[in-house]
């Protein structure tokens, strides 16, 4: 396989984390809700829109924040969540790169922004 470039391990691990984070339909719903919102949303607002409890939403938000799809904004004692545009804009290209298509590869450092 001459001329084939393999992803570096750190980037492959970042991409794998993204794919794992989106492997749950509730997390996909939560990310979609946050991305569609015009402003950061609270856990309570998310709970109102998805059919799971607050503790479950919080657990899913932890995974989405750990992978940097979602960023947290503390507001007093509450926490509000917004989509991380830098990470989300990398995701389609990540899928292309993994599948061997021409796309701009993002490093794990860029995705962490």
């Amino acid at each position: 396989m001459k001329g084939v470039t393999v992803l570096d391990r750190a980037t492959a691990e970042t991409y794998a984390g993204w794919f794992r984070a989106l492997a749950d339909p509730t997390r996909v719903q939560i990310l979609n809700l946050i991305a569609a919102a015009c402003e950061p949303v609270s856990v309570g607002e998310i709970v109102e829109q998805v059919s799971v409890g607050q503790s479950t939403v919080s657990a899913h938000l932890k995974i989405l924040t750990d992978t940097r799809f979602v960023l947290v904004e503390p507001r007093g004692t509450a926490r509000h969540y917004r989509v991380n545009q830098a990470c989300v804009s990398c995701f389609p290209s990540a899928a292309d790169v993994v599948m061997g298509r021409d796309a701009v590869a993002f490093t794990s450092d860029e995705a962490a922004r």
Side-chain angles (χ1 to χ4, degrees):
M1 292 184 21
K2 294 178 183 176
V4 174
T5 304
V6 176
L7 286 175
D8 65 90
R9 187 65 180 190
T11 301
E13 288 175 1
T14 298
Y15 290 177
W18 291 352
F19 295 127
R20 277 191 304 274
L22 294 179
D24 182 278
T26 302
R27 283 194 293 274
V28 171
Q29 286 182 304
I30 291 170
L31 183 59
N32 175 254
L33 174 69
I34 294 169
C38 296
E39 57 190 38
V41 295
S42 69
V43 173
E45 292 169 319
I46 297 168
V47 169
E48 289 175 10
Q49 298 295 316
V50 295
S51 58
V52 296
Q54 185 271 327
S55 62
T56 302
V57 167
S58 293
H60 286 304
L61 286 168
K62 180 176 180 354
I63 293 167
L64 292 171
T65 57
D66 286 350
T67 56
R68 307 281 297 158
F69 274 126
V70 173
L71 302 174
V72 182
E73 293 183 4
R75 293 189 184 175
T77 59
R79 299 173 69 150
H80 287 72
Y81 298 85
R82 66 179 173 86
V83 76
N84 179 355
Q85 291 298 330
C87 184
V88 172
S89 66
C90 296
F91 185 75
S93 290
D96 285 336
V97 169
V98 169
M99 297 308 294
R101 295 186 191 128
D102 290 334
V104 177
F106 294 88
T107 66
S108 56
D109 291 339
E110 290 173 304
R113 285 190 246 151

